[in-house]
């Protein structure tokens, strides 16, 4: 599960050879460790709206080294472009060209973040064009950045300030090493709900979280990351994975629940375990998932049905129990693991694609049902992640999948876990019904 090529091209001789032969040069990504600064180096806040001024003032208050104008030859940690007031595509030229002149000064693993408004509610064709234009601009820019730098955007609802809690939460997420493998993506903040946690290193302190499929892979990383961020974790997996599950749960001072999530009483069992052992339930992460790949021409009913059952039908049933429970009413969070296969499709995965596309539909339609009690539900869609599952792929296919993204490398389970931990936190309270891709900006498909 190690990417030896990335290690090689980051060694002295390997770097020279790769450069000379024009081979991909994936960077060692800046990943978060507790205590790390949010970003190293000055943050340039570009834009002349009131929203830009307010955001710059808030970032100054966080102790960041904020610039409103770039100084010559100064290495920048991040460039934030505030475009919340653009009304017409003609308004874009000045601010984005000024970003262009600063790009050469962006430090390795630096960040570009746009803050603009969602095109969904644009009042005029021209403002819709400008807002949607930012989408195309940002995704193209992300493909031009080098050395582990990423570009991501925040889309604000119509009346939301650039300093609304979840806009600030998203700025923090995109600036930090927590978003290392998120690239070329937008996160929509649709409500003023949420608040920044009192402890930045323990944003989930006091929360009780359930993670399904936690015995290994991405699920084990999610359990560890939620624990690191302060949550008490219930690790769920099938009885056959009992030993691994116990090891994961013990390692993070949580509890293990052996349970097949496709059982009809799974939701009830999860609620009962969390409440009896830990007194409450705040966060449910639907991570358990399976693949049974076949071309559709060779697909049998068993393969189709088992993938639909585990990957989406079980989640729908568990959510019904959660929504009906009085124990899941205090600003709860559901985060479900989708896949880029459910967005862009993948050969041999019609069943998996249907189930993971299903997750996105479920999240969108469940969001309004969570809203009355301050709850949110979101999906995270990983691309190529280095796990036992992807280590089993044929070498040539694996190598292609690894490199065909803007960061030219696979993600780590921790990268998916970081996005989930962010969406589980109070600071993402204004984000619901959304899908965040953790794919290094995969170049294939949508
Ligand atoms: P994995 O196979 O390593 O782990 C999945 C875990 O889920 C296993 O421990 C398994 O025992 C458990 N599980 C399966 N069926 C279950 C059931 N009925 N009840 C309870 N637990 C069950 O997979 P992974 O690579 O860690 O993937 C985790 C999630 O991420 C899955 O939903 C997967 O579809 C998704 N995903 C993975 C990748 C990737 O590149 N690895 C990419 C996109 C999406």
């Amino acid at each position: 599960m190690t990417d030896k090529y990335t290690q090689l091209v980051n060694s002295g001789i390997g770097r020279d050879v790769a450069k000379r032969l024009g081979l991909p040069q994936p960077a060692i990504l800046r990943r978060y460790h507790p205590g790390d600064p949010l970003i190293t180096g000055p943050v340039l806040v570009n834009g002349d709206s009131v929203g830009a001024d307010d955001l710059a003032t808030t970032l100054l208050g966080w102790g960041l080294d904020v610039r409103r104008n770039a100084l010559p030859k100064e290495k920048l940690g991040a460039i934030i472009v505030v475009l919340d007031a653009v009304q017409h595509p003609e308004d874009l030229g000045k601010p984005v060209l000024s970003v262009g002149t600063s790009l050469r000064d962006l430090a390795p693993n630096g960040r570009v973040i746009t803050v603009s408004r969602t095109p969904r509610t644009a009042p005029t064709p021209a403002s819709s064009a400008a807002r949607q234009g930012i989408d195309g601009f940002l995704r193209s820019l992300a493909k031009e950045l080098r050395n582990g730098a990423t570009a991501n955007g925040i889309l604000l609802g119509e009346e939301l300030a650039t300093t609304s809690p979840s806009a600030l939460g998203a700025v923090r997420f995109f600036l930090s090493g927590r978003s290392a493998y998120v690239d070329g993506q937008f996160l929509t903040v649709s409500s003023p709900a949420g608040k920044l946690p009192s402890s930045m290193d323990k944003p989930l302190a006091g929360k009780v979280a359930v993670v399904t499929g936690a015995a290994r892979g991405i699920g084990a990383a999610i359990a560890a990351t939620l624990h690191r961020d302060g949550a008490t974790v219930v690790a769920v997996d099938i009885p056959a994975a009992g030993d691994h599950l116990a090891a994961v749960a013990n390692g993070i001072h949580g509890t293990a629940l052996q349970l097949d999530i496709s059982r009809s009483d799974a939701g009830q069992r999860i609620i009962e375990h969390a409440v009896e052992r830990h007194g409450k339930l705040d966060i449910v992460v639907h991570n358990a998932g399976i693949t049974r790949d076949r071309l559709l021409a060779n697909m049998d009913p068993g393969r189709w049905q088992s993938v639909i059952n585990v990957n989406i039908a079980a989640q729908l049933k568990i959510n019904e129990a959660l929504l009906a429970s009085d124990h899941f009413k205090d600003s709860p969070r559901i985060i479900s693991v989708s896949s880029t296969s459910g967005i862009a499709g993948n050969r041999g995965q019609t069943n998996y694609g249907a189930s993971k596309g299903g997750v996105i539909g479920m999240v969108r339609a469940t969001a309004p049902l969570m809203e009355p009690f301050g709850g949110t539900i979101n999906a995270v869609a990983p691309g190529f992640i280095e796990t036992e599952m992807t280590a089993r792929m044929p070498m040539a296919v694996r190598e292609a999948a690894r490199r065909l993204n803007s960061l030219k490398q696979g993600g780590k389970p921790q990268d998916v876990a970081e996005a989930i931990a962010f969406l589980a936190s109070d600071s993402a309270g204004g984000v619901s019904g959304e899908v965040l891709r953790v794919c290094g900006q995969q170049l294939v498909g949508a």
Side-chain angles (χ1 to χ4, degrees), residues 23-45:
L23 295 172
Q25 289 189 282
I28 302 282
L29 301 183
R30 169 174 64 96
R31 291 189 164 88
Y32 170 77
H33 300 98
D36 281 356
L38 203 51
I39 186 97
T40 343
V43 177
L44 174 67
V45 179

Side-chain angles (χ1 to χ4, degrees), residues 187-208:
L187 193 64
T188 301
V189 178
S190 49
S191 95
K195 61 174 193 288
L196 290 185
S198 45
S199 160
M200 288 305 165
D201 282 332
K202 296 279 180 207
L204 300 178
K207 306 279 185 191
V208 175

Side-chain angles (χ1 to χ4, degrees), residues 385-397:
I385 306 296
E386 306 279 357
T387 62
E388 284 172 45
M389 193 177 97
T390 49
R392 283 198 301 270
M393 290 164 82
M395 210 214 359
V397 180

Side-chain angles (χ1 to χ4, degrees), residues 12-264:
I13 186 159
R15 187 179 296 119
D16 293 346
V17 172
K19 208 173 204 170
R20 227 170 308 132
L21 298 179
L23 295 172
Q25 289 189 282
I28 302 282
L29 301 183
R30 169 174 64 96
R31 291 189 164 88
Y32 170 77
H33 300 98
D36 281 356
L38 203 51
I39 186 97
T40 343
V43 177
L44 174 67
V45 179
N46 179 305
D48 49 18
S49 66
V50 175
D53 291 341
D54 291 348
L55 186 59
T57 308
T58 304
L59 300 190
L60 263 177
W62 291 352
L64 295 180
D65 186 5
V66 177
R67 303 269 180 282
R68 296 309 310 275
N69 292 296
L71 302 178
K73 303 249 174 287
E74 184 182 46
K75 276 281 168 224
L76 293 167
I79 304 170
I80 302 181
V81 201
V82 185
L83 300 163
D84 61 326
V86 295
Q87 303 292 342
H88 193 283
E90 286 168 357
D91 299 344
L92 295 175
K94 187 171 160 246
V96 308
L97 291 173
S98 129
V99 170
T101 59
S102 300
L103 277 182
R104 265 194 198 89
D105 298 320
L106 191 64
N109 277 297
R111 299 285 190 260
V112 177
I113 302 170
T114 57
V115 182
S116 57
R117 297 208 180 270
T118 169
R120 288 179 210 166
T121 50
T124 64
S127 65
S128 180
R131 292 176 186 189
Q132 195 65 41
I134 294 165
D135 187 283
F137 158 74
L138 190 277
R139 291 181 201 273
S140 301
L141 173 59
K143 292 180 179 179
E144 295 180 8
L145 297 180
R146 295 283 174 267
N147 297 321
T150 62
N152 292 290
I154 298 165
L155 298 177
L156 300 172
E158 217 53 48
E159 302 298 328
L160 287 186
T162 55
T163 52
S164 63
S166 290
L168 296 178
V171 167
R172 291 194 79 94
F173 175 69
F174 285 137
L175 283 177
S176 87
R178 291 177 188 262
S179 65
Y181 198 63
V182 181
D183 196 11
Q185 303 306 315
F186 284 88
L187 193 64
T188 301
V189 178
S190 49
S191 95
K195 61 174 193 288
L196 290 185
S198 45
S199 160
M200 288 305 165
D201 282 332
K202 296 279 180 207
L204 300 178
K207 306 279 185 191
V208 175
V210 166
V211 181
T212 69
R216 65 178 204 186
I218 295 173
I222 297 168
T225 303
L226 298 187
H227 164 72
R228 179 204 68 194
D229 281 358
T232 302
V233 176
V234 177
V236 176
D237 213 299
I238 48 173
D243 290 347
H244 285 290
L245 185 67
V248 169
N250 291 340
I252 56 171
H253 312 295
T255 54
L257 172 61
Q258 293 187 10
L259 174 71
D260 181 336
I261 56 154
S262 55
R263 282 176 54 131
S264 59

